[in-house]
Amino acid sequence: MTGTPTRATGRDALLAGAIGHFAEHGVGDTSLRALAEAIGTSHRMLIYHFGSRDGLLAAVVDTVEQGARDTLTRMVEEATSDPDPTEAGLRFWHLVTEDALVYGPLFFELSSHAMLDLPHTAGLRERLVTTWLDALEAMWHARGVPRARAREQGRLDLAVARGLLHDLLLTGDREQVDAVMRRYAEDTVRRMLEPGQS
């Protein structure tokens, strides 16, 4: 980001400015004063709307996580109605990777905050895992996979997807990462859904 920052006003605008700044620069130990200067507002306005740095970071966590849940809802709706589970999964993968190229570093940084049980991440640990596992389990179960096996597969899917997103953010090799995800999706659908393959 270069030049003079656009002046942010109102809670939503301030929050959007903070998320944009953190997505580009990371959270680190950024103070409210430094953030205020970067997004074109005052320390006083951030305190007024969020109460503290932890209050602001909690709002950032909620907003970023809500965006992920919205993506997840869209994925569930599309995947359960698509007759081709491989293509449904790959469409979701492309949607997630587009978001990750912008917000992925922030997502992984906030995930590490949740691992450390920092105050602004209350409840995030569970939402980052259980919410996604529930949805993935539901999708596999809707295609006839027994619940226990569906949940186990959902955990593997989640691990593979997040591992490949991490790879993408570190290497930038979208072509190879996408190819690996396609192979994983095809192999998994064959193993889980084709008769005699389980």
Side-chain angles (χ1 to χ4, degrees):
M1 193 178 289
T2 58
T4 306
T6 303
R7 190 145 189 87
T9 59
R11 187 181 190 281
D12 290 346
L14 292 171
L15 185 55
I19 290 170
H21 179 80
F22 290 146
E24 186 173 351
H25 303 286
V27 175
D29 58 359
T30 305
S31 69
L32 286 184
R33 289 188 190 284
L35 177 64
E37 183 177 342
I39 65 173
T41 190
S42 68
H43 174 262
R44 181 182 62 78
M45 288 304 291
L46 292 177
I47 293 292
Y48 173 77
H49 286 288
F50 303 102
S52 64
R53 183 177 186 271
D54 276 346
L56 171 64
L57 290 176
V60 167
V61 166
D62 286 346
T63 303
V64 170
E65 212 266 326
Q66 182 61 54
R69 284 200 307 269
D70 291 345
T71 299
L72 183 62
T73 299
R74 181 174 162 190
M75 174 190 79
V76 171
E77 289 170 354
E78 291 184 6
T80 53
S81 62
D82 193 314
D84 185 337
T86 301
E87 290 307 316
L90 290 171
R91 270 201 317 278
F92 171 63
W93 169 251
H94 290 295
L95 184 65
V96 167
T97 52
E98 290 304 317
D99 284 349
L101 290 171
V102 178
Y103 298 109
L106 179 57
F107 171 84
F108 282 110
E109 185 175 4
L110 294 174
S111 295
S112 72
H113 291 188
M115 291 175 204
L116 297 170
D117 206 22
L118 298 182
H120 56 272
T121 62
L124 186 58
R125 279 186 190 203
E126 182 176 356
R127 295 195 309 269
L128 287 174
V129 177
T130 305
T131 302
W132 289 81
L133 283 182
D134 289 347
L136 291 165
E137 175 191 333
M139 285 188 302
W140 283 115
H141 185 66
R143 294 192 182 270
V145 177
R147 286 264 180 215
R149 188 162 179 244
R151 191 161 191 86
E152 183 180 81
Q153 184 59 46
R155 190 175 293 275
L156 181 58
D157 294 342
L158 187 59
V160 169
R162 288 187 175 161
L164 287 175
L165 287 175
H166 191 261
D167 181 330
L168 174 63
L169 292 169
L170 290 173
T171 67
D173 193 345
R174 178 98 185 242
E175 184 178 345
Q176 275 298 306
V177 168
D178 282 351
V180 169
M181 177 52 84
R182 174 168 286 279
R183 179 177 172 184
Y184 173 77
E186 290 170 348
D187 289 350
T188 301
V189 166
R190 187 179 308 113
R191 179 173 50 83
M192 295 295 286
L193 300 180
E194 291 182 11
Q197 296 296 316
S198 34

